[in-house]
Amino acid sequence: MAERRLGEFEIIDMFRGRGGHRHDWVQHGIGDDCAVLDLGGERSLLVTTDLMVERVHYLRDAITPWQLGWKAMAVNISDIAAMGGTPRAAFAAAALQPGVDAAFLEGLRDGMLACADRYGVDLLGGDTSRAPQDGVLCLTLLGTAPRDRVLLRSGARPGDVAFLGGPVGLSAAGLWLLTQGAEQAGRLDPAHRDRLVKAHLEPQPQVELGLWLAERGLVTSMMDVSDGVLQDLGHICRASGVGALVAGEALPVDRALVQAGAIGCCEQPWRFALSGGEDYVLLFTAPADHQDALVAGARHELGIELIPFAWIEPEPGLRLFGADGIHSARPRGWDHFG
Ligand code: ADP
Ligand code: MG
């Protein structure tokens, strides 16, 4: 039999199990941003885990230990935010190179705890080991949400609009500035450069927005953008059994990203913004009738500018709306084995 290489999402499907769960406390298992467990009270328990692997997720000389600690905590908190939940507790498992120095560890701890403080999380345990070569940091986050108000990926319906909780593509541009674009970075306005690099190294999970949206009761599906907008909207569409028409060139693009495009980061900032990963903004759907109220409410109550960017349609697949018509879009984004 010919050898076949699997993509990240095929591998996850293999682990999905053979249907059914042993315990009836499982409200939702594999497939969403968190697993949801019903403990019999008014609030359900949310559980998620995310890895940071050296040379895969970070380069040791392109991130400070403090930022690494912050980011490892932040990306996990973002998955709790993606369910409309409140983050509560973290467990941190670390495999560290032999000879790792105390200053590195202090920085890592301080960054992790600064992020935990910001979002009201207690660090309650973990594990520590030596790594033969590259460092690995794996955090597990616990959160809670009212039992009947957990926002899943699977509720998008035709007639809904898809929104982003903020600008996208900034993190991917920040990564470019830290790697291939390092020589060009000096040509960028320092304020823009800082904004892009910070988006990559110190993501700010949208917990308050997730809670606000869950309280409104209008959102039909939600997740956080980690793999790229098109890919992640593709996940929502598949989970919901729908498709989407995505505003291509009409997508509002952050000025810092436009400037990064001008120095060589990308040819079409809107295209780059739709496929760059690690944005950690919320992506959600709600019926079109509520679009104006949601946009005005988030602006006035949270100071957040929501970005409506796609329309949910019955036909599966993603279509991209451009100046020259509508094209089917291959959901491009991050696949670890792609
Ligand atoms: P996210 O980007 O929100 O963290 P992922 O794309 O990493 O989500 O994972 C999608 C789903 O697959 C999640 O429910 C996650 O828990 C699950 N998952 C990922 N890897 C594995 C694995 N090795 N075994 C079991 N479940 C997994
Ligand atoms: Mg997620």
Side-chain angles (χ1 to χ4, degrees), residues 8-9 12 15 29-33 48-50 79 153 224 226-227:
E8 178 182 347
F9 301 104
I12 292 175
F15 283 92
I30 294 176
D32 223 295
D33 295 281
T48 181
T49 187
D50 249 319
D79 277 323
R153 296 179 178 183
D224 66 327
S226 53
D227 296 337

Side-chain angles (χ1 to χ4, degrees), residues 187-316:
R187 289 165 49 206
L188 206 58
D189 173 339
H192 286 147
R193 191 180 59 220
D194 290 352
R195 179 168 163 73
L196 297 173
V197 168
K198 221 172 156 190
H200 184 66
L201 299 176
E202 297 172 41
Q204 311 286 321
Q206 296 191 297
V207 174
E208 291 84 2
L209 175 61
L211 288 168
W212 185 86
L213 289 168
E215 273 162 25
R216 302 270 109 29
L218 303 173
V219 169
T220 51
S221 72
M222 186 151 82
M223 69 181 297
D224 66 327
V225 180
S226 53
D227 296 337
V229 175
L230 285 186
Q231 183 137 298
D232 286 333
L233 180 62
H235 291 318
I236 285 210
C237 286
R238 261 191 307 282
S240 304
V242 294
L245 174 63
V246 181
E249 266 169 305
L251 181 81
V253 177
D254 192 274
R255 276 181 47 209
L257 178 55
V258 174
Q259 285 224 343
I263 63 158
C265 171
C266 52
E267 277 178 24
Q268 291 172 299
W270 65 269
R271 227 179 249 285
F272 184 84
L274 287 173
S275 52
E278 298 200 294
D279 298 296
Y280 301 107
V281 299
L282 295 180
L283 192 176
F284 62 94
T285 57
D289 312 351
H290 300 300
Q291 174 172 332
D292 293 345
L294 282 171
V295 169
R299 183 181 297 144
H300 294 127
E301 292 175 41
L302 304 174
I304 289 177
E305 207 51 50
L306 298 178
I307 304 173
F309 78 103
W311 296 268
I312 302 300
E313 301 177 327
E315 311 88 77

Side-chain angles (χ1 to χ4, degrees), residues 51-91:
L51 269 177
M52 299 273 290
V53 179
E54 187 171 347
R55 289 195 296 164
V56 177
H57 296 95
Y58 67 94
L59 300 167
R60 252 228 274 185
D61 49 11
I63 190 166
T64 66
W66 191 96
Q67 289 167 328
L68 180 59
W70 175 282
K71 188 167 178 176
M73 184 66 76
V75 302
N76 278 277
I77 290 176
S78 182
D79 277 323
I80 302 282
M83 311 298 287
T86 306
R88 305 275 183 192
F91 293 77

